[in-house]
Amino acid sequence: MTSRGTMDALVAAEETLGLSLKEKQKEAVLAVLDGKDVFCALPTGYGKSIIYRILPTAFDYLLGREPGHSIVVCISPLNSLMIDQERNFKSKGIAVECIGEIQKDQGVIKRVISGNVPLVLITPESITTNPLFRGMLLSQKFKEGMVTLVVDEAHCIKTWGDNFRRSFSDLGQLRSSLPKIPVLAVTATATHGTYDVVTKRLAMEDVVIIGLSPCRDNIFLSVKCVTLADFVENIAESVRLNNVNHPKTLVFCRTYTDCNLVYDMFEEKLGSCITFPPGYPNSRKYRIIDLYTQANVDQVKKEILSEFIKENSLIRVITATTAFGMGIDCPDIANVYHWGSPHSMEEYVQEIGRAGRNQMPSYATLIYKKGRSTIDSKMEEYGSNTNKCRRHLLYSTFMFHQESSLESQCKCCDICALTCKCMLCM
């Protein structure tokens, strides 16, 4: 039973910050305020970040503290995600700072370490291997003020923790330093296997599980087998025709090499139409199509992100690695393409979740290449399938799965569309 104190604290925090939380957001906040470890799996676009955005203020009310005294530390997997969230939160009046390798302002670092910033965003590498930030958690200010440890995009603990980024696997060590601090793990995608790995590695106990199916009915699913030239030409034809009115499009590639190949093909196919107005110098100032990878310097990433999220953005197509994927707040992306399959269904659902966050009809298209040895069996089945509903194949292994409620099969996937008998298709 939720105590009256936690409910009052939540209501007061909502009023202070001008927020009105959805049902599952409230459940998660109340559980954390009750001191519980919480595993939260909510679809892309639902608003997972609001949960930890409101926590410092809610704890201030719950514990009777002056505003700004409660501290939430959020571990985030990508610098690009932290940059975007910091910009978004600050625009809404939230006191937040990023620290780690991307933070060069010593004044900001000093304020954070002194416990004067209620919401702190940091990468797993910085919190586990940098003595300055690891020691920060042991300081008297943090022992008194810290109220929650958040792990955003928690599925990365399973996806990346074994080999690619071992610091994700080391996050559980923080529990020994913070034995009484509740842990909130949030993600958009979680199979039962992911839940088991995440809760074990974070040493979570008596976990409260909160979630919804990751299935997004407004995204039409399809798979195609085409050459690079044909794939790019299909998009380039629309760009030439519509230029700055071309629907916002993301093209995910598995490697830097593939990203450059796809981008170079766009340059070849579009010629002078790669800029707007056509024929202007091929510089970022005029470019309709851009390239986003970890190889970009941080300032370039900021410029691309800040432009692309604008409703009237000049950039209409971004070719990207997964560096662009998680948590980016751009609601009006209409098309997500994958040039090659991700390793797993979880990765694919994460990445297609960039589409249609404004609830408008959107499209997720996998350009499938047979014979890739780096994808798991479920992803291979999804790509090679020719007779089963793609939506069912994609989402049936996830926690909280429910079958789609779409009335017309033609809105589901390319397989179901073949047999649709709705009024539009007959």
Side-chain angles (χ1 to χ4, degrees):
M1 176 78 70
T2 300
S3 71
R4 185 63 183 165
T6 57
M7 181 60 77
D8 285 346
L10 172 57
V11 171
E14 284 184 295
E15 291 177 353
T16 298
L17 299 177
L19 296 172
S20 179
L21 270 62
K22 301 173 186 175
E23 177 187 354
K24 296 299 179 181
Q25 293 168 333
K26 288 183 179 180
E27 288 181 24
V29 171
L30 291 171
V32 175
L33 291 175
D34 275 333
K36 305 291 187 182
D37 286 347
V38 178
F39 184 90
C40 191
L42 294 169
T44 52
Y46 189 86
K48 295 179 288 298
S49 64
I50 288 177
I51 297 168
Y52 52 85
R53 187 205 308 174
I54 201 175
L55 280 173
T57 305
F59 268 106
D60 282 342
Y61 280 112
L62 180 67
L63 301 175
R65 294 173 170 175
E66 290 297 316
H69 276 56
S70 295
I71 303 169
V72 170
V73 175
C74 177
I75 297 168
S76 184
L78 295 173
N79 289 333
S80 58
L81 174 55
M82 293 197 301
I83 291 166
D84 185 59
Q85 287 186 330
E86 182 185 50
R87 174 200 56 78
N88 187 21
F89 290 172
K90 284 184 175 180
S91 72
K92 294 175 172 61
I94 304 298
V96 58
E97 295 292 352
C98 298
I99 55 172
E101 61 273 16
I102 62 171
Q103 184 56 260
K104 308 303 181 184
D105 188 330
Q106 293 301 311
V108 168
I109 294 172
K110 184 177 180 179
R111 287 204 309 277
V112 170
I113 292 174
S114 300
N116 295 320
V117 177
L119 181 55
V120 179
L121 308 179
I122 190 169
T123 63
E125 287 79 10
S126 293
I127 200 70
T128 58
T129 65
N130 189 315
L132 179 65
F133 301 126
R134 187 69 183 265
M136 172 184 77
L137 300 181
L138 302 175
S139 69
Q140 192 62 33
K141 189 73 174 181
F142 269 75
K143 285 183 178 180
E144 294 174 355
M146 187 169 169
V147 290
T148 312
L149 177 67
V150 179
V151 181
D152 199 4
E153 308 294 354
H155 61 280
C156 292
I157 293 173
K158 175 174 177 283
T159 307
W160 290 345
D162 289 331
N163 300 302
F164 179 42
R165 293 174 68 181
R166 294 301 300 264
S167 291
F168 275 105
S169 292
D170 296 336
L171 291 175
Q173 299 173 10
L174 299 179
R175 285 314 292 271
S176 61
S177 305
L178 309 165
K180 296 181 181 179
I181 301 297
V183 171
L184 169 63
V186 295
T187 181
T189 56
T191 62
H192 292 282
T194 297
Y195 168 81
D196 290 341
V197 170
V198 169
T199 53
K200 181 178 180 179
R201 291 186 179 176
L202 292 178
M204 298 171 72
E205 298 178 348
D206 300 322
V207 182
V208 176
I209 305 172
I210 295 168
L212 294 169
S213 169
C215 179
R216 300 260 304 285
D217 285 346
N218 64 315
I219 301 177
F220 181 85
L221 306 171
S222 64
V223 174
K224 297 180 180 179
C225 295
V226 296
T227 65
L228 176 59
D230 288 343
F231 163 59
V232 171
E233 175 57 31
N234 180 57
I235 302 172
E237 183 178 4
S238 174
V239 173
R240 283 192 294 266
L241 181 65
N242 299 298
N243 50 71
V244 292
N245 293 313
H246 174 79
K248 282 188 186 176
T249 298
L250 266 179
V251 180
F252 279 115
C253 302
R254 309 324 302 163
T255 66
Y256 297 152
T257 300
D258 280 350
C259 256
N260 283 301
L261 284 172
V262 172
Y263 183 78
D264 289 347
M265 184 63 73
F266 272 118
E267 283 195 318
E268 178 183 325
K269 294 287 185 180
L270 286 169
S272 63
C273 291
I274 201 168
T275 60
F276 187 81
Y280 268 50
N282 187 0
S283 66
R284 184 155 289 112
K285 184 177 180 180
Y286 304 110
R287 206 177 290 156
I288 294 178
I289 296 177
D290 220 322
L291 182 68
Y292 189 105
T293 73
Q294 286 284 35
N296 293 122
V297 298
D298 289 335
Q299 184 57 39
V300 170
K301 290 178 185 177
K302 284 183 180 180
E303 290 173 6
I304 295 173
L305 279 177
S306 61
E307 176 61 30
F308 193 60
I309 63 177
K310 295 176 183 175
E311 186 176 353
N312 59 344
S313 171
L314 176 67
I315 302 173
R316 308 314 296 177
V317 180
I318 287 183
T319 301
T321 58
T322 53
F324 192 89
M326 290 172 282
I328 301 301
D329 187 16
C330 184
D332 56 346
I333 296 173
N335 302 300
V336 173
Y337 292 93
H338 279 76
W339 176 249
S341 304
H343 171 71
S344 68
M345 298 286 233
E346 283 178 286
E347 289 178 51
Y348 190 58
V349 171
Q350 275 284 337
E351 290 167 12
I352 67 173
R354 300 306 106 219
R357 296 179 73 162
N358 57 0
Q359 307 308 313
M360 296 299 290
S362 306
Y363 302 87
T365 306
L366 171 64
I367 310 302
Y368 180 64
K369 295 180 264 185
K370 295 180 180 179
R372 277 195 67 202
S373 60
T374 56
I375 65 174
D376 67 17
S377 58
K378 292 288 187 181
M379 197 69 232
E380 186 174 3
E381 180 185 9
Y382 179 85
S384 60
N385 165 59
T386 58
N387 57 13
K388 298 177 183 176
C389 171
R390 295 200 194 280
R391 194 171 297 275
H392 176 76
L393 283 179
L394 188 59
Y395 293 106
S396 59
T397 60
F398 287 87
M399 297 175 72
F400 310 105
H401 169 67
Q402 294 179 332
E403 292 298 334
S404 173
S405 58
L406 283 168
E407 295 180 1
S408 301
Q409 287 180 295
C410 60
K411 296 179 180 179
C412 178
C413 70
D414 54 348
I415 303 297
C416 291
L418 294 174
T419 58
C420 183
K421 293 180 172 58
C422 75
M423 292 294 292
L424 294 174
C425 296
M426 292 298 290

